[in-house]
Amino acid sequence: MRHYFHPEIESICLPDVLFALSDPTRLGIAVALGDGQERTVGELGGSIAKSTMTHHLKILREAGTLRVRSEGTRCYNSLRLEELQARFPGLLDQLLGYAVTCGYTSADAHPARPSRLAP
């Protein structure tokens, strides 16, 4: 069974969490896991290549937002909801709530973004 590095909750810093959630795919993953359930890469990925999903999950895990549990040949991913709520009260509720209103529902659901060049 593979063991994954998960930073201690006290060592998680806000810039790392915000960076991890700044990517549309990773934000979609967080939204999909926001219900507190565990999911495998296949359940989260949709049309995204497994290697790409693995990369995004690694960034989320190393930032401290994700927990991975191995069981046989499967890896189950979940958000560290309670721990992050204790460390940064209200942060995930605000970010994920706003992400849902903007249309982020899964790793491959990216809402149209307005042009930054528009007046």
Side-chain angles (χ1 to χ4, degrees), residues 7-13 64 80 83-84 86-87:
E8 295 295 323
I9 195 67
E10 300 81 23
S11 69
I12 296 172
C13 60
R80 296 172 72 177
E83 294 167 288
L84 288 169
R87 177 83 170 142

Side-chain angles (χ1 to χ4, degrees), residues 93-109:
D93 292 337
Q94 290 293 317
L95 289 176
L96 299 183
Y98 187 71
V100 169
T101 64
C102 291
Y104 292 90
T105 56
S106 65
D108 57 357

Side-chain angles (χ1 to χ4, degrees), residues 5-118:
F5 166 76
H6 298 96
E8 295 295 323
I9 195 67
E10 300 81 23
S11 69
I12 296 172
C13 60
L14 185 59
D16 291 342
V17 172
L18 294 176
F19 170 77
L21 295 174
S22 68
D23 178 84
T25 299
R26 293 191 293 269
L27 184 57
I29 292 168
V31 169
L33 293 171
D35 63 2
Q37 300 297 310
E38 293 181 319
R39 291 189 177 74
T40 63
V41 171
E43 294 170 317
L44 289 169
S47 63
I48 298 173
K50 185 178 177 183
S51 60
T52 301
M53 280 299 294
T54 300
H55 167 74
H56 286 301
L57 293 170
K58 178 183 177 188
I59 290 172
L60 287 166
R61 178 177 46 81
E62 289 180 349
T65 61
L66 194 73
R67 178 155 314 275
V68 180
R69 178 180 64 84
S70 293
E71 188 175 291
T73 59
R74 292 187 171 266
C75 294
Y76 295 92
N77 302 281
S78 60
L79 279 182
R80 296 172 72 177
L81 292 168
E82 291 179 13
E83 294 167 288
L84 288 169
Q85 176 62 20
R87 177 83 170 142
F88 307 110
L91 177 68
L92 277 186
D93 292 337
Q94 290 293 317
L95 289 176
L96 299 183
Y98 187 71
V100 169
T101 64
C102 291
Y104 292 90
T105 56
S106 65
D108 57 357
H110 300 158
R113 290 177 19 181
S115 172
R116 292 185 179 150
L117 302 176

